[in-house]
């Protein structure tokens, strides 16, 4: 396998392509950080308010790492309304006064912080992370409430706006710390979020909270009153008692939150094993050159793993069996992990038969099932490195029981009680996405590299299937299809399908929590296990009924 010291053409080509993908990612993230644009930023500043990202930066410890969840949510969506960068809300996992937490901040420069459907989904994801890991959560509220033109897509269903407040109540019952700061508008149903938290504070003159603003009050009952008198800081701190403390500025309010976190007591831990961290011996920056520029090209997944684990030390489980999945133990930033990774090079089976890389065969599914069970028994978190095209098809595989073996792997993974973390390195197709702990299987965090592709099947295969269906439909209508027409149709279908396999399409819809720089993979996994350590394992591992 090519490595950087050889400086061969393949490595350089791979590095150029993957670094170009990374540059594209950084450009997109830079645009997202502009929020609702210069005009809206200036409007926010003129009121003496910090921007959402400035509030988070001020609040979090500057000497500790942080990761952003859902930065690309709603990317290229809601164009008919002018777009909604980052879904109008910023979600960050970091540290306040040394205590790990998750912070949710409305971005009032984006449609006045109004809630779009993806805003609700992103807030629910933040609460899900808090609930699963018993992680303290801070809400920095500055929102005009539901975006009315899309109210039918955000208001009444189980995973819509109201679920937020149901979660507030459930989190409180579980003893999960919830702190809220009202730093701008907080209206209608959204008013319940901060008041269902443990402690709610408000910034004087800029913060306000009420079920209905002054215009609606006049329309509903004829009362004339201004918003400050109706629901400002003085009203709620001195008359109603709805909020607990008022502050003269954003900074004063955030300083108070820091003081609260400085006094939080110790928590019960899950007890995942950690030793003194060490860096991989193999250079992490070589990841860009190791990963092939062409997604179909085989490569050695161990070259990836050895640039992610401490000391590049990795102990394989059953290395001579089920070779299209690599399983083994290592450490990431000191944390013990069990890694399940798709092997992308062509290998020989135990019977000497050639097996395609990136495909899950019966023997590899059987190996992964056993390894997942072992990690659960030993209380070792699982890391899935996805580059999978699916399960093997054909008469030999079907007769050999591939469906049964795949089901065993899915069963063992689905019922895992140890935390799971998923990194989509390359392909993530079909049932392979499921077996390798895709979003539907509750990974604590799931991130994609810029090279990722997520779909029910690969673009070329899917396009040919879709072409056959469309051509048959046109012919049944009596239309003649020339070879040139068929070629143009195939290109149109392929382009459309490929746009939907993009990691940005997945990130926009929160199928992944983020697209990340491969060099940040260790940080994501380490911070993920640290937050999972807040939540002791309370149930026994049981896979239920499993066919043998």
């Amino acid at each position: 396998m090519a490595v950087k010291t050889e400086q061969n053409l393949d490595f350089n080509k791979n590095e150029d392509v993957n670094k170009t993908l990374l540059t594209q990612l950084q450009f997109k993230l830079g645009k997202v950080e502009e929020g609702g644009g210069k005009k809206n930023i200036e409007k926010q500043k003129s009121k003496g308010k910090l921007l959402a990202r400035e509030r988070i930066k001020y609040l979090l410890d500057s000497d500790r790492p942080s990761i952003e969840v859902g930065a690309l949510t709603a990317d290229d969506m809601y164009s008919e309304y002018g777009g909604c960068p980052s879904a109008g809300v910023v979600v960050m996992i970091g540290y306040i006064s040394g205590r790990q937490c998750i912070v949710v901040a409305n971005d009032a420069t984006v449609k006045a912080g109004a809630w779009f459907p993806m805003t609700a989904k992103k807030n629910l994801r933040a609460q899900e992370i808090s609930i699963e890991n018993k992680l303290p959560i801070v809400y920095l509220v500055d929102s005009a409430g539901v975006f009315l033109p899309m109210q039918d897509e955000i208001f009444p269903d189980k995973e819509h706006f109201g679920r937020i407040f149901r979660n507030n109540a459930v989190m409180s019952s579980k003893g999960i710390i919830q702190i809220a700061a009202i730093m701008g508008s907080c209206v209608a149903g959204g008013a319940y979020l901060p008041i269902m938290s443990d402690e709610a504070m408000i910034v004087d003159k800029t913060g306000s909270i009420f079920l209905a603003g002054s215009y609606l009050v006049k329309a509903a009952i004829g009362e004339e009153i201004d918003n400050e008198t109706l629901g400002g800081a003085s009203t709620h701190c001195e008359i109603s008692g709805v909020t607990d403390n008022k502050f003269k500025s954003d900074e004063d309010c955030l300083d108070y939150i820091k003081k609260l976190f400085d006094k939080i007591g110790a928590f019960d831990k899950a007890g995942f094993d950690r030793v003194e961290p060490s860096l991989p011996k193999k250079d992490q920056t070589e990841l860009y050159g190791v990963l092939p520029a062409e997604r179909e090209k085989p490569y050695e997944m161990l070259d990836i793993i050895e640039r992610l684990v401490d000391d590049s030390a990795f102990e394989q489980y059953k290395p001579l069996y089920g070779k299209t999945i690599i399983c083994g133990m290592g450490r990431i930033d000191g944390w013990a992990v069990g890694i399940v990774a798709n092997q992308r090079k062509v290998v020989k089976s135990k019977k000497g038969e050639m097996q395609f890389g990136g495909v899950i065969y019966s023997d590899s599914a059987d190996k992964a099932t056993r390894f997942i069970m072992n990690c659960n028994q030993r209380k070792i978190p699982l890391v899935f490195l996805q580059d999978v095209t699916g399960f093997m098809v054909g008469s030999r595989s079907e007769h050999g029981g591939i469906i049964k073996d795949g089901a065993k792997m899915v069963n063992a993974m689905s019922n895992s009680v140890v935390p799971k973390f998923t990194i989509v390195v390359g392909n993530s197709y079909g049932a392979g996405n499921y077996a390798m702990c895709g979003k539907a299987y509750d990974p604590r965090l799931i991130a994609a590299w810029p090279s990722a592709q997520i779909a029910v099947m690969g673009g070329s295969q899917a396009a040919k299937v879709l072409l056959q269906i469309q051509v048959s439909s046109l012919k049944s209508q009596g239309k003649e299809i020339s070879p040139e027409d068929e070629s143009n149709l195939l290109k149109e279908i392929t382009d459309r399908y490929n746009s939907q396999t993009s990691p940005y399409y997945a990130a926009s819809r929160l199928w992944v929590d983020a697209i990340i720089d491969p060099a940040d993979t260790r940080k994501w996994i380490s911070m993920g296990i640290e937050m999972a350590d807040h939540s002791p394992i309370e149930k026994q591992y049981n896979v239920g009924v499993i066919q043998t």
Side-chain angles (χ1 to χ4, degrees), residues 67-170:
I67 55 178
E68 183 172 355
V69 174
L72 293 164
T73 306
D75 177 58
D76 206 25
M77 294 175 70
Y78 309 126
S79 56
E80 66 272 36
Y81 300 110
C84 187
S86 211
V89 64
V90 183
V91 176
M92 201 83 71
I93 299 172
Y95 302 82
I96 301 175
S97 300
R99 180 68 180 265
Q100 194 180 34
C101 62
I102 185 165
V103 182
V104 181
N106 300 113
D107 185 353
T109 71
V110 180
K111 299 294 187 295
W115 288 58
F116 284 70
M118 288 306 301
T119 313
K121 185 172 183 178
K122 186 171 175 179
N123 275 268
L124 288 169
R125 175 60 178 146
Q127 287 185 322
E128 180 182 39
I129 291 171
S130 176
I131 292 169
E132 286 181 330
N133 302 287
K134 296 186 176 178
L135 196 64
I137 187 166
V138 177
Y139 307 102
L140 305 180
V141 184
D142 193 346
S143 171
V146 168
F147 186 65
L148 288 177
M150 302 191 75
Q151 66 84 27
D152 62 318
E153 297 182 44
I154 189 173
F155 170 64
D157 210 344
K158 180 178 179 180
E159 294 190 348
H160 284 176
F161 193 57
R163 188 75 171 182
I164 302 288
F165 319 126
R166 174 265 184 193
N167 285 352
N168 285 142
V170 169

Side-chain angles (χ1 to χ4, degrees), residues 140-297:
L140 305 180
V141 184
D142 193 346
S143 171
V146 168
F147 186 65
L148 288 177
M150 302 191 75
Q151 66 84 27
D152 62 318
E153 297 182 44
I154 189 173
F155 170 64
D157 210 344
K158 180 178 179 180
E159 294 190 348
H160 284 176
F161 193 57
R163 188 75 171 182
I164 302 288
F165 319 126
R166 174 265 184 193
N167 285 352
N168 285 142
V170 169
M171 293 161 74
S172 183
S173 73
K174 293 178 178 291
I176 297 170
I177 296 166
Q178 299 179 85
I179 304 295
I182 302 156
M183 313 185 86
S185 297
C186 183
V187 301
Y192 288 104
L193 183 148
I195 309 311
M196 294 186 75
S197 299
D198 306 337
E199 191 166 344
M201 50 225 72
I202 186 169
V203 179
D204 197 17
K205 299 298 184 289
T206 55
S208 59
I209 178 169
F210 32 64
L211 294 181
S214 56
Y215 291 118
L216 186 54
V217 167
K218 184 175 180 179
I221 64 173
E223 181 184 2
E224 291 198 18
I225 189 170
D226 64 88
N227 283 338
E228 184 65 26
T229 305
L230 180 66
S234 294
T235 295
H236 286 309
C237 285
E238 300 172 23
I239 300 173
S240 72
V242 166
T243 51
D244 302 307
N245 270 302
K246 69 175 180 178
F247 300 90
K248 64 181 181 181
S249 68
D250 284 6
E251 291 88 347
D252 285 347
C253 186
L254 297 170
D255 285 336
Y256 182 77
I257 295 175
K258 293 180 184 182
K259 293 173 185 176
L260 290 180
F261 270 79
D262 185 54
K263 297 168 181 65
I264 293 174
F267 57 92
D268 294 334
K269 295 185 178 181
F272 303 122
D273 186 66
R274 192 180 196 187
V275 299
E276 186 69 27
S278 58
L279 293 172
K281 287 183 178 177
K282 295 189 176 180
D283 189 351
Q284 292 179 76
T285 63
E286 291 179 353
L287 288 169
Y288 309 112
V290 167
L291 187 68
E294 300 87 7
R295 296 308 314 120
E296 301 79 18
K297 190 173 181 179

Side-chain angles (χ1 to χ4, degrees), residues 277-334:
S278 58
L279 293 172
K281 287 183 178 177
K282 295 189 176 180
D283 189 351
Q284 292 179 76
T285 63
E286 291 179 353
L287 288 169
Y288 309 112
V290 167
L291 187 68
E294 300 87 7
R295 296 308 314 120
E296 301 79 18
K297 190 173 181 179
Y299 65 94
E300 174 59 77
M301 179 57 85
L302 282 172
D303 287 337
I304 300 289
I305 294 172
E306 289 171 352
R307 286 163 176 81
L308 296 178
V309 295
D310 292 12
D311 293 321
S312 299
F314 181 67
E315 296 82 42
Q316 281 202 64
Y317 172 78
K318 288 182 177 287
L320 303 178
Y321 177 74
K323 294 181 181 179
T324 64
I325 286 184
I326 295 173
C327 298
M329 303 287 188
R331 290 187 182 274
I332 292 179
D333 199 33

Side-chain angles (χ1 to χ4, degrees), residues 316-327 341-343 347-350 355 359-368:
Q316 281 202 64
Y317 172 78
K318 288 182 177 287
L320 303 178
Y321 177 74
K323 294 181 181 179
T324 64
I325 286 184
I326 295 173
C327 298
N342 303 112
Q343 174 62 289
V347 296
K348 283 186 178 181
S349 73
K350 59 183 177 181
Q355 294 184 338
V359 180
I360 302 175
Y361 289 78
S362 284
D363 55 355
S364 49
D366 174 65
K367 176 172 83 171

